[in-house]
Amino acid sequence: MSVRAADTQVAHAEGVRRLLQSYREVPAAATVRLAKPTSNLFRTRVTSSAKGLDTSGLTGVLAVDPEARTADVAGMCTYEDLVAATLPHGLAPLVVPQLKTITLGGAVSGLGIESTSFRNGLPHESVLEMDILTGAGEILTASPGEHPDLYRSFPNSYGTLGYAVRLRIELEAVSPFVALRHVRFHSLPELFAAMDRIRETGALDGVPVHYLDGVVFSADESYLCLGEQTSTPGPVSDYTGQQIYYRSIRHENGVTLDRLTISDYLWRWDTDWFWCSEAFGVQNPRIRRFWPRRFRRSSVYWTLMTYEQRLHIGNRIEKLHGRPPRERVVQDVEVPIERSAEFLDWFLGTVPIQPIWLCPLRLRDDDEWPLYPLRPHRTYVNVGFWSTVPVGSTEGETNRLIERKVSEFGGHKSLYSDAYYSPAEFEKLYGGDVYSRAKERYDPDRRLLDLYAKAVRRR
């Protein structure tokens, strides 16, 4: 072991020690929470005065094994830092969520997705083993062969069974560049038919497809964005400056071509938070020119958004213009691909939000994950929409309507944002008895929040 590797291991051990010490210092009657400088959750929570767990020593990459194509990573390590450590070896995680400050532990205990998910599934499927601080204050190693019930129940548990301290994950080889094809469609059924063919064959018109996602601007303007790994050198685009990635996708007809470095491809959506940076004026060329490049990232926009919500700036502006306040509709849902065109047709005719992000996914193997029970051997499409709409006559009216429709279409909804399910509906959709048994075993004294309390009651 090198001196640097030994130092990393010592630092991690010290970080674990501080984590356990901070757990012991939380009063028995208080709920255990993490102390985190960043978040990618979009639901408000009840303020707590209890001191959070110290995770400051759990933010690094512990080791990268280029031969085994694995990485050992601390639970609070961001994908930005993880990718920076693996790319020099020509490797990357099998799924790299779109935003730089998403942590590996967060993507596994919640859900992550990206344009490799049509072939690599979801981030938790590439976890070989993980050390978890349970609600009982123990650190247990969970894997398919060791504490398998915890291993299977941890994804989508959102810190209600425990927190990932260390994870060992699979990596895959990547090339230095990604050649892009943006394919225009004038019909959503045609787009989803092409998406399904690509998932089946791994190619379009004989050209391999290693990355696949899409954008819907309207019923008659939608795109598939196809990426092919390549080592061929050549000019590349830069969307961290004045140019904006999602705008480069749009064209009248046919196919347009582009090229990015692998790093810029992985973070293509982070610079402008997909398209949501527009809310802060950053897409205005006169403002963008003076907006520092280091501030063109999702974490900055998220911080600005928290201030806006705290001060209710948006609703104050709406009131000045004589308009009703706005309901936040920030959701990602999974819909079976064969129902996706029908769902989008309903959504575009009902909810005034565009653009919409599309990302196909399929579980890698026959195993099921009970807290987010997608069916093996079935293709789903993640539909992402992030904006606001005028408030209705009841709290969360549009979000509730979307929840009902997603269930009608045989889909599922991620829990990183607002949810309104009844306890019975929630239990049916998110683990039921499997979750209850895991909760009883690994958090018997209920030191951690219950999933329903956290996701729906916003505690």
Side-chain angles (χ1 to χ4, degrees), residues 59 61 71 81 84-85 131 134 147 190 202 268 277 292 322 387 393 404 426 433 443 454:
T59 60
V61 178
D81 291 340
D131 295 340
T134 69
H147 299 292
E190 290 179 5
R268 68 201 182 284
S277 67
S387 189
S393 58
R404 292 196 299 272
F426 192 87
D433 291 342
D443 185 23
K454 192 169 189 176

Side-chain angles (χ1 to χ4, degrees), residues 57 71 87 213 220 253 297 325 337 449:
L87 284 187
D213 64 351
D220 57 6
N253 200 32
R297 52 183 289 138
I337 193 168
L449 286 170

Side-chain angles (χ1 to χ4, degrees), residues 321-332:
H321 289 86
R323 297 190 293 257
R326 310 282 293 183
E327 174 187 350
R328 182 176 62 189
V329 181
V330 176
Q331 304 287 355
D332 279 75

Side-chain angles (χ1 to χ4, degrees), residues 23 133-139 161 441-445 447-448:
Y23 174 92
L133 171 65
T134 69
E138 303 174 290
I139 293 183
L161 297 177
R441 181 173 182 182
Y442 297 106
D443 185 23
D445 296 325
R447 298 298 309 278
L448 305 172

Side-chain angles (χ1 to χ4, degrees), residues 93-98 111-125 172 199 210-213 265 268 334 357-364 374 378-382:
L94 270 64
V95 180
V96 180
Q98 314 87 342
L111 288 178
I113 192 170
E114 235 296 315
S115 59
T116 56
S117 290
F118 78 106
R119 56 185 178 85
N120 288 340
L122 298 171
H124 55 264
E125 295 187 84
E172 69 174 5
R199 197 221 56 81
H210 302 119
Y211 305 98
L212 173 62
D213 64 351
Y265 176 79
R268 68 201 182 284
E334 271 73 48
W357 186 58
L358 305 176
C359 187
L361 70 130
R362 191 178 176 99
L363 297 181
R364 291 174 66 192
L374 302 178
R378 187 175 196 180
T379 302
Y380 295 82
V381 179
N382 177 278

Side-chain angles (χ1 to χ4, degrees), residues 354-400:
Q354 298 93 34
I356 300 165
W357 186 58
L358 305 176
C359 187
L361 70 130
R362 191 178 176 99
L363 297 181
R364 291 174 66 192
D365 51 38
D366 294 337
D367 295 320
E368 295 189 21
W369 304 87
L371 270 65
Y372 203 75
L374 302 178
R375 286 170 48 187
H377 311 294
R378 187 175 196 180
T379 302
Y380 295 82
V381 179
N382 177 278
V383 183
F385 38 92
W386 318 296
S387 189
T388 62
V389 300
V391 296
S393 58
T394 60
E395 181 192 6
E397 183 175 287
T398 298
N399 282 283
R400 293 173 190 269

Side-chain angles (χ1 to χ4, degrees), residues 241-242 281-296:
Q242 296 303 303
V282 183
Q283 295 182 28
N284 183 321
R286 289 173 293 182
I287 296 175
R288 194 177 187 87
R289 190 175 298 113
F290 298 101
W291 191 283
R293 188 181 292 248
R294 68 183 183 278
F295 292 157
R296 296 177 200 149

